[in-house]
Each structure stands twice: as C-alpha cells, then as structure tokens.
Amino acid sequence: MKRKVILSVLLMAFMGTTLLAQEETKKKRTLELPKAGDIALGIDVVPMFKYVGNFFNGTTDNAYNTFGGESAITFDNPINNPTVSIMGKYMITDTWAARLNVGILYTHKNTRTYKQNDAALLEDPLSLAKVVDENIVNNTGASFALGAEYRRGYRRIQGFAGGNLIYAFGEYNRHYNYGNAITEINQTPSRIDAGNVQYVPDGWTRAYLLDSYNGGSVQYFGLGAHVGVEIFLASHFSLGGEVSINAIWKWSPETYEEIEGFNTMNNQVEKFTNLISPGNKEFSFGTENLGGKLYLLFYF
C-alpha cells in the first residue's frame, strides 16, 4: 500500500514538472511586444548598407539611400548634414508612442601651412626661415524631429503612422591667420590662397580674406507625417522602416566676409566687411525622409 502511494506521488510530481517545463518553454517562445512605459533607442542602418555595398564592389558611391525617397534636410554645404541620427520612442500606451529623432555634427578643423618668412628673406636672400598660415573651419549641423505615432499590428509585424515637428540648422564659418603681416614695405606678403575675394576696395593693392561667415549656413522648420512598419526579430528588438511627407520652410542668413589690405591712398593697413548675400528663403513639400530611413530599435 505504501509503495502505491509513493509511486502515485512520484507520478504526480513528474507530471507537474513536465507541465511546468512546457509552460516555461511556451513563455520563452512567446514574443514580447512593446507596452506602456517602454523606451526604445535606435540607430540608422543605411550607412551600414553603404559600407557593405562599397566593400563588395569596390566603389565609393554605392548606398541604400532610395528607401522612402531622399533626405528632407540637405544643406548647401554637405558637411553640415548629419549622416547618422539617433532615434528614441516612449510608449505612452500600448498603441500610442512619443518619438524623437536627433542628428548632431560638429567639426573644428585647423589646416596649417608653411610659407616663406618675408621679413627674414628681406634681411637675408638665402634665408630658409618659414612662418605658419592657418585656415580654421568651424562647422555645426543638427536636425530634430519631435512627434507621436499610433501603432497597430499582428504578432511580429507592427505598422504605425503619425506626425512630426521638424527643426534643423547648419552653420559654416572660416577664419584665416597669416604669419606674414601687411606693411608699407611689404604690401603683398606671402600668404596661402584663401580663394576669390568678392570685393577689393579702391586704392587697395590686394585684399586678403580674414573671415567668411555663414557660407552655406541654413535653418529649417517643418511639419511632417510618416508611415512605417517594424518587424520584431526577437522580443524587444525590431527592424523598422518608414517614409515621410513633409512641408519644409528653409531660410539662410546674411553671408559676409571680412578682408584686409594695404590702402595706397592713405598708406595704411585697413579692414573691411563686405556683405555677400542678403539671405534666401525656400519652401518644399514632398515625400522625403528625416533621419533614419531604415533602422534598428531596442526596447527596454
């Protein structure tokens, strides 16, 4: 009798363990989708496609850029444009999410070049002394999109649609430092070529560029709508893509440059600020992208 009781207990324990194991396995196989309170961070994977394409065919212009159209933010000076953006989402409810897309770029470049030392060469025609000229470039660009989206889907596939407020800017300025000074004796010193100066005042022997402001600088403001889809490769991890339609207002500030030179009319070194452009305005509307066209998202 005791043996039967023991066997019954062991059988029930075995069955219970089996059922628990099956339940655990079922839980592991269940895909967990985003829910209220979850936060998502993502990165654009288009640069990765560009790298892989270039790696295999040996070219430098192969890119997966046509997904959803061209970029909505294209600065006149391409170096301003952030090529990679960071995406973020916050699940307000299981079906509504707030979203943010940010791309930031800042560069400071100082190009230094040797030129002959004019003063030393005047004293000694065989002198090999040199001075340093500097071309300093400050370059800043950023894009921001803040919005909301409604999500709906089935298992691994989640579709979404929503709207965005868009702001972006790019700023590009140059500055030059020269080792050889302008003097009455040396009115055209040896200096690096700073490009064509837009205006040379009357009486100046030559004009040298000191600063160039807002060349290619621009600002954007816009409203946009987007539709897209996320495919969940695993719980909390998805591959997403989207297309947008945007109304974008664009304006650029005044462009001007500061120059210096020797004025033979009064025998003095002078500086002058010359206005290049009064600024421009532009409006565009179409199916364009801002930030990630194709991206990976991780929810936590």
Side-chain angles (χ1 to χ4, degrees):
M1 186 67 177
K2 291 182 178 180
R3 185 177 298 175
K4 291 181 179 181
V5 172
I6 293 173
L7 290 173
S8 298
V9 172
L10 291 174
L11 180 61
M12 291 177 64
F14 175 76
M15 292 178 64
T17 303
T18 302
L19 290 173
L20 287 173
Q22 291 177 350
E23 186 66 24
E24 288 295 323
T25 302
K26 188 181 295 184
K27 288 182 178 179
K28 290 180 180 179
R29 291 178 179 175
T30 301
L31 189 69
E32 295 186 23
L33 298 176
K35 59 184 181 300
D38 284 353
I39 297 174
L41 291 177
I43 58 171
D44 188 356
V45 298
V46 170
M48 179 184 70
F49 279 101
K50 183 173 183 178
Y51 173 80
V52 172
N54 292 338
F55 179 80
F56 281 105
N57 65 17
T59 65
T60 58
D61 59 354
N62 186 31
Y64 198 63
N65 284 336
T66 56
F67 184 88
E70 296 301 320
S71 174
I73 304 299
T74 54
F75 296 107
D76 294 335
N77 180 11
I79 196 172
N80 287 116
N81 195 9
T83 57
V84 178
S85 62
I86 301 173
M87 303 186 64
K89 295 185 181 183
Y90 175 73
M91 298 299 298
I92 302 171
T93 68
D94 290 352
T95 55
W96 281 96
R99 50 183 276 154
L100 176 67
N101 189 301
V102 178
I104 297 176
L105 171 69
Y106 173 77
T107 59
H108 173 83
K109 184 178 180 181
N110 187 349
T111 303
R112 294 160 58 86
T113 305
Y114 278 124
K115 301 297 291 186
Q116 70 179 24
N117 188 321
D118 290 347
L121 191 65
L122 184 63
E123 294 180 2
D124 179 7
L126 300 179
S127 174
L128 298 178
K130 297 182 181 299
V131 295
V132 175
D133 286 357
E134 295 181 321
N135 175 13
I136 301 171
V137 174
N138 290 305
N139 187 61
T140 306
S143 61
F144 307 91
L146 177 65
E149 65 182 34
Y150 176 75
R151 306 169 60 89
R152 185 171 180 175
Y154 180 71
R155 293 185 180 177
R156 292 183 179 272
I157 300 177
Q158 294 279 305
F160 57 86
N164 299 301
L165 290 174
I166 300 168
Y167 174 73
F169 72 90
E171 185 174 336
Y172 181 86
N173 299 313
R174 289 184 297 157
H175 174 73
Y176 290 88
N177 292 323
Y178 301 105
N180 289 310
I182 300 175
T183 65
E184 185 175 0
I185 297 176
N186 189 11
Q187 300 177 11
T188 57
S190 301
R191 291 181 169 183
I192 58 174
D193 183 10
N196 294 325
V197 176
Q198 298 290 330
Y199 172 73
V200 180
D202 292 338
W204 283 30
T205 307
R206 181 178 174 182
Y208 294 89
L209 184 63
L210 294 179
D211 292 283
S212 177
Y213 295 99
N214 299 330
S217 298
V218 66
Q219 294 192 65
Y220 292 84
F221 177 77
L223 301 173
H226 62 271
V227 294
V229 63
E230 284 183 43
I231 300 175
F232 282 83
L233 308 177
S235 295
H236 309 296
F237 182 68
S238 70
L239 174 66
E242 65 184 62
V243 292
S244 305
I245 182 167
N246 301 305
I248 304 290
W249 290 264
K250 168 186 173 182
W251 66 97
S252 57
E254 289 184 339
T255 302
Y256 58 97
E257 63 184 17
E258 184 178 2
I259 58 178
E260 73 169 349
F262 188 83
N263 190 338
T264 57
M265 299 175 69
N266 57 18
N267 291 328
Q268 291 183 357
V269 178
E270 296 181 339
K271 294 182 180 180
F272 181 80
T273 300
N274 181 38
L275 182 63
I276 305 299
S277 170
N280 301 291
K281 296 180 181 179
E282 183 180 323
F283 173 77
S284 64
F285 178 80
T287 50
E288 300 171 315
N289 277 296
L290 179 72
K293 309 175 187 70
L294 192 65
Y295 47 82
L296 292 174
L297 282 172
F298 174 70
Y299 290 83
F300 58 95

